[in-house]
Amino acid sequence: MIDVNDMSHNNTCSLNRRTLMTLLGAGSLGLGLHAHAQQKEKVLRLGFIGPSKTHKPASGSGWALAHGHLLRELAPFGYNDIATYEFPNGPDLNEAFLSGALDVGIYGDTPAVVARANGLAGKLIGFDNIGMNVWLLTPVDGVKSVKELEGQVVAVALGSYMHRYVIGLLKEAGIQKNTRVVYMLPRDGQNALEKKAVAAFAAPINTGPLIASKGFPVIDQAVDHPSLQGSSVIVASDKVLEQNPGLPQAWHRARLAAIRDIKRDTEAYYRFHADTVGFPLEAVKASYPLSQFPEEIYPSRGLQALEEVKSFLLGENLIRKDFPLKSWLVS
């Protein structure tokens, strides 16, 4: 169990579904927040997808947090701290959002759209990355093409942007009905490939280039199917937005300052990112080209990508309720 005192002092935490439910059931999270209130602190609770050696995010918002841009922009709203919570995947982060345990979440477009379609009370306040790749890897001496996956097992983190890529790819190849898709977290992918337990594994950013560098073949990538690439979105709860209407603009200013820093000294950024996530520098560089960092709150290519995500999920009956994208944006 996570020590509430550690949460108060370090303001970092790694959560999975079981830990989150334990905290909520025991009231520990409430006690932690009560302690903050007694200290007259106003803490923003930020969730993100790991891995992270520091239990803090990387990318544009991560740089903004680490270098003070984000807290400086939030200070006028009374915030004097940002508590970060690391999750293994988007569905777990969604549960935290639905329980009221988070104010802001940074995670993949697919689970975010699923949450919005299922009634999550929140708004899209920006994009951290657009055009994220997926690497489809196989065991050494495994299948040589996507078509050869018919009747085989493909592993991926279900509910993720990689999952959408896999389903879309199998459908394009005409083998979706005869190919089995199983759940697997990125951290387990290499071991499964080594043991030839699966015919292919769909790896996300960082993990994909790292596994490929160890000699595992890549038979397909999302960059070859632009509509199946992913985005990392920033979502804020309705409650925090009602209390702080200017938060989306403040977050954008902080990210914009971070992006300017990143473009001035790209190597420093990549070192920071690699140190944060614990992946080799070359894997990070291959995963995060500067073209992924949008400078607008709602770039047209990002909104178009979300429309494609929504249409895809509706077409596959992965969500049942449509919603106008404009209703998700901050006016």
Side-chain angles (χ1 to χ4, degrees):
M1 181 177 292
I2 296 170
D3 190 310
V4 177
N5 291 323
D6 286 344
M7 291 173 63
S8 300
H9 293 116
N10 298 328
N11 293 316
T12 62
C13 180
S14 178
L15 295 181
N16 57 27
R17 183 181 288 109
R18 179 177 296 177
T19 303
L20 174 68
M21 293 301 106
T22 300
L23 285 172
L24 292 173
S28 299
L29 189 56
L31 290 173
L33 295 178
H34 179 64
H36 283 308
Q38 287 182 326
Q39 298 166 14
K40 296 183 179 180
E41 292 184 355
K42 186 177 179 181
V43 180
L44 184 113
R45 302 166 300 170
L46 171 62
F48 69 100
I49 306 303
S52 173
K53 290 174 64 178
T54 63
H55 300 303
K56 293 183 182 296
S59 198
S61 291
W63 180 278
L65 173 62
H67 290 80
H69 300 311
L70 192 53
L71 193 55
R72 182 177 64 250
E73 290 290 348
L74 295 180
F77 304 106
Y79 288 104
N80 47 29
D81 208 351
I82 299 171
T84 55
Y85 300 91
E86 179 186 352
F87 294 85
N89 54 45
D92 281 353
L93 191 149
N94 273 339
E95 286 203 15
F97 247 144
L98 289 167
S99 71
L102 294 177
D103 300 311
V104 177
I106 303 174
Y107 61 135
D109 51 16
T110 301
V113 170
V114 169
R116 176 64 182 83
N118 288 332
L120 176 67
K123 295 286 188 182
L124 177 73
I125 65 168
F127 293 78
D128 230 18
N129 301 96
I130 300 174
M132 298 190 303
N133 198 12
V134 183
W135 290 257
L136 189 63
L137 298 126
T138 67
V140 176
D141 298 324
V143 302
K144 307 300 182 185
S145 69
V146 174
K147 278 284 190 181
E148 292 179 52
L149 289 173
E150 186 170 14
Q152 304 289 328
V153 176
V154 179
V156 66
L158 301 184
S160 65
Y161 83 94
M162 302 87 73
H163 184 201
R164 179 171 60 86
Y165 158 77
V166 166
I167 294 175
L169 181 68
L170 297 179
K171 188 174 183 179
E172 282 182 11
I175 61 173
Q176 181 183 6
K177 292 183 179 179
N178 299 321
T179 305
R180 185 182 172 202
V181 177
V182 300
Y183 178 69
M184 184 172 290
L185 287 173
R187 65 182 180 226
D188 300 319
Q190 181 177 329
N191 186 52
L193 293 173
E194 288 172 348
K195 294 181 177 180
K196 298 187 177 181
V198 297
F201 169 65
I205 47 178
N206 296 325
T207 303
L210 177 60
I211 296 178
S213 72
K214 297 181 179 181
F216 292 95
V218 178
I219 62 169
D220 196 79
Q221 297 185 56
V223 292
D224 298 324
H225 314 268
S227 66
L228 299 179
Q229 289 179 288
S231 300
S232 178
V233 299
I234 309 167
V235 177
S237 71
D238 281 352
K239 183 177 180 180
V240 78
L241 291 175
E242 288 169 4
Q243 296 170 346
N244 309 281
L247 188 144
Q249 292 74 25
W251 202 287
H252 175 62
R253 289 192 298 270
R255 271 198 75 258
L256 198 56
I259 291 170
R260 288 168 179 163
D261 289 349
I262 290 168
K263 289 184 175 180
R264 274 195 300 267
D265 194 344
T266 304
E267 288 301 315
Y269 167 72
Y270 282 131
R271 288 193 299 272
F272 156 79
H273 196 131
D275 289 343
T276 299
V277 300
F279 277 80
L281 186 61
E282 292 308 311
V284 171
K285 287 182 176 181
S287 297
Y288 289 92
L290 293 185
S291 60
Q292 283 189 10
F293 295 79
E295 295 189 9
E296 304 91 355
I297 295 182
Y298 298 130
S300 58
R301 64 189 179 114
L303 296 178
Q304 179 58 39
L306 289 182
E307 288 286 7
E308 291 172 351
V309 170
K310 187 160 62 77
S311 296
F312 178 87
L313 293 173
L314 285 165
E316 294 297 316
N317 293 316
L318 295 174
I319 58 173
R320 297 182 180 180
K321 186 177 180 181
D322 194 5
F323 63 91
L325 195 59
K326 286 185 178 180
S327 70
W328 200 21
L329 310 183
V330 177
S331 57

